[in-house]
Amino acid sequence: MQSQIMLSDVTSSFHRPDFEWQRYTYISENALLPGQVHTYFGGSEQNIFNAYKQEVRALAGKSQNDISQKLGEIFKSSGLKVARQRYEYQAAGNTYGGENVYAILHAPRGDATEAIVLVAAWRNMDEELNQSGVALVLTLARYFKRWSLWSKDIIFLITPDSEAGPQAWVDAYHDAHSPPSVASLPLKSGALQGAIVVDNALDHRFESLHITYDGINGQLPNLDLFNTAVSIASGQMGIGVSLQRMWKHGDTYRERLRTMLRGMVSQGLGHASGPHSSFIPYHVDAITLQAVGDGWQDEMAMGRCVESLFRSLNNLLEHLHQSFFFYLLMQANRFVSIGTYLPSAMLVAVNFTIMAIALWLQSGRPPKTKIASPQRGEKTPALEMVMIKQDGMTAVIPKQELTTLERHLFVPVVVVLGLHFLGVVPLSIFNNTNQTNLSQALFVFNLFNFALPDLLALLISSYAPLTHQQRLLTKCFSLVLLGMFLATLATLNFSLAFLIGLLASPLSFLGVPPSEPPKVGASRPWTIATWILSNIVLQAFAPGVVLFAACTYSGVSVEEVLAQAAFGWTVSGLWTQVIVWCVWWPAWLVGGIFVSPLRLRDRT
């Protein structure tokens, strides 16, 4: 039954890119009116943009103070209020520091209760100088100042990098920062209604816009914001749109599947995919517009997209709420809603729960009485039978089938909870080790983890040997906790719950104690082969081994991944590693203990 559940679950996942499972995107918030306004950005603004771009190039390589000073002067020359914010973080032995520069355009028709943010990082996620993106923000700040139609304040933010800077600014904006490492903001506006990030490191014309939308811990912006950007770019401006680094999308099943899987992996990892990711945990819908390719679209076309997008957000009477916050995108105009894909993650969790229920029932059954074959002339001993009547039917069954043993829960509960608290050790190690030593730390941990189930099995057998019932209950509690955690996680981060569930699925079959205690001295020819196969599968799906294999396959260094996770834990509140080390790894340890060759002897 469990195998059928997992097979049907995986099969249904590969059916999602089919048209029968998808829906076309649409705008739920009528007030947005995307693409219904005429944009005027262009003409003489091209000369201003070119001048600002030269200024940005001249600042490349200079000190942070010189860059902040010059950017502040440019904002002040446009008639805006300017402020700065310094910050410094320590993570994985690295220092992430800098100074944010921002300016506020107070709405002529507003009361400073709402604001929209336009962001450009000095260096984008690829550590490239965002020369055209920063110049475009400076040009738009001067351009927007001349208009009197704004009903919401507009904040222009330029950060030194794409992760620490935006996180420090948005934390301080909501008074959630940690001084003195992160300074408070001297200037503020109203509640943030949305944020748009401009990323254009190209020195030539671009072909299309790549929209990035993944947030911290798999959170997503309201689908209306994404749909509005797509509608304006492709419908009004005639600019192609791509996502999940699928630069060429032919709308085939294979390409839709790759887009979905890339989105699930990115969401499951939960890391920041751009400056916009820092805003989403504060319920501020945000996306990044990245210019990619080599085509005939220029910076003015990108500026008109931003202008039209800000005009749409300026129409909002309330926060975006009518469209979806949980979805999987197949391409720019097709998506799968939560009601379609959520059952997949729930079935994975149910898989563990079913096995836990089965083990719970087995733990309450008394051992079956074995009746010896009678000698010649002797009568066969009779079992005590019980007659049961229900719904007009009568059945006679052995009395022992109705007997329920008292369950001793203390030791199994202590073992399971102790292993879950043990997950704090690798969590602390990998979040507090210098980046240069992270690769060696993972190697040493994997070696130790290979022998850890055997050591724990030996320790338990020596000091607190378990009865057969307690073995069943230990595995039962481990699986029920795993299923409960994954079912809860699926409502917050579907992709992470689904991926962890698939990687942990062998635990439903491995390390499960038999329904009856093994006979003393019983020999089974296949025992050694079964143990070898079980250990190979178990070690192959160990969290550390999966991490190393994934890094090797994707061509990313282990140090970079673990350093990024440590940065996310310290700066952004990333909790992906909590799920790995405090949920998945303890369940793996329980399975490893019962697969260990140092068999746990049943205490009589």
Side-chain angles (χ1 to χ4, degrees), residues 367-541:
K368 292 184 179 179
T369 304
K370 301 296 183 180
I371 302 176
S373 301
Q375 300 294 329
R376 182 176 300 179
E378 294 181 0
K379 294 183 178 180
T380 303
L383 290 175
E384 187 176 357
M385 309 298 288
V386 177
M387 181 179 295
I388 297 179
K389 295 182 179 180
Q390 184 177 357
D391 298 333
M393 296 180 290
T394 303
V396 179
I397 61 175
K399 185 178 180 179
Q400 67 174 5
E401 296 290 338
L402 300 178
T403 304
T404 301
L405 296 178
E406 180 183 359
R407 295 180 174 91
H408 302 280
L409 307 179
F410 179 74
V411 175
V413 169
V414 170
V415 171
V416 173
L417 292 182
L419 292 177
H420 276 271
F421 280 111
L422 189 63
V424 177
V425 175
L427 179 66
S428 177
I429 290 174
F430 292 116
N431 285 334
N432 295 284
T433 303
N434 289 339
Q435 182 174 353
T436 55
N437 300 325
L438 282 173
S439 179
Q440 294 87 342
L442 180 64
F443 179 76
V444 173
F445 175 80
N446 284 338
L447 288 180
F448 177 73
N449 193 54
F450 181 81
L452 184 59
D454 297 335
L455 296 176
L456 292 175
L458 181 61
L459 183 66
I460 294 174
S461 296
S462 302
Y463 294 97
L466 304 179
T467 64
H468 181 71
Q469 182 195 71
Q470 290 173 335
R471 295 177 62 186
L472 292 171
L473 290 174
T474 301
K475 186 66 176 180
C476 168
F477 293 153
S478 176
L479 291 179
V480 77
L481 280 178
L482 181 59
M484 181 184 67
F485 282 131
L486 292 181
T488 306
L489 179 64
T491 62
L492 303 174
N493 189 340
F494 158 79
S495 299
L496 180 59
F498 184 75
L499 294 175
I500 293 294
L502 289 182
L503 293 172
S505 58
L507 300 178
S508 296
F509 311 97
L510 300 177
V512 178
S515 58
E516 291 291 333
K519 295 180 181 180
V520 179
S523 61
R524 296 179 180 177
W526 61 86
T527 301
I528 297 179
T530 303
W531 165 75
I532 294 175
L533 180 61
S534 299
N535 271 276
I536 291 175
V537 174
L538 190 74
Q539 293 297 337
F541 284 92

Side-chain angles (χ1 to χ4, degrees), residues 91-92 94 96 163 265 268-272 430-431 433-439 442 543-570 574 576-577 580-581:
N94 300 323
Y96 303 86
E163 294 183 80
V265 171
L269 293 176
H271 66 292
F430 292 116
N431 285 334
T433 303
N434 289 339
Q435 182 174 353
T436 55
N437 300 325
L438 282 173
S439 179
L442 180 64
V545 175
V546 171
L547 172 61
F548 180 79
C551 292
T552 303
Y553 176 79
S554 58
V556 182
S557 65
V558 173
E559 294 92 342
E560 183 180 349
V561 173
L562 292 176
Q564 186 72 21
F567 172 84
W569 169 264
T570 304
L574 179 67
T576 302
Q577 53 265 58
V580 172
W581 299 120

Side-chain angles (χ1 to χ4, degrees), residues 48 52 55 69-82 103 138-139 141-143 145-146:
I48 298 173
Y52 284 152
E55 294 280 1
Q69 182 71 27
K70 185 60 178 181
L71 294 177
E73 292 176 358
I74 295 176
F75 279 131
K76 285 181 181 179
S77 66
S78 299
L80 304 175
K81 295 182 179 180
V82 183
L138 297 174
T139 308
R142 182 179 182 275
Y143 173 75
K145 177 65 177 176
R146 303 203 306 264

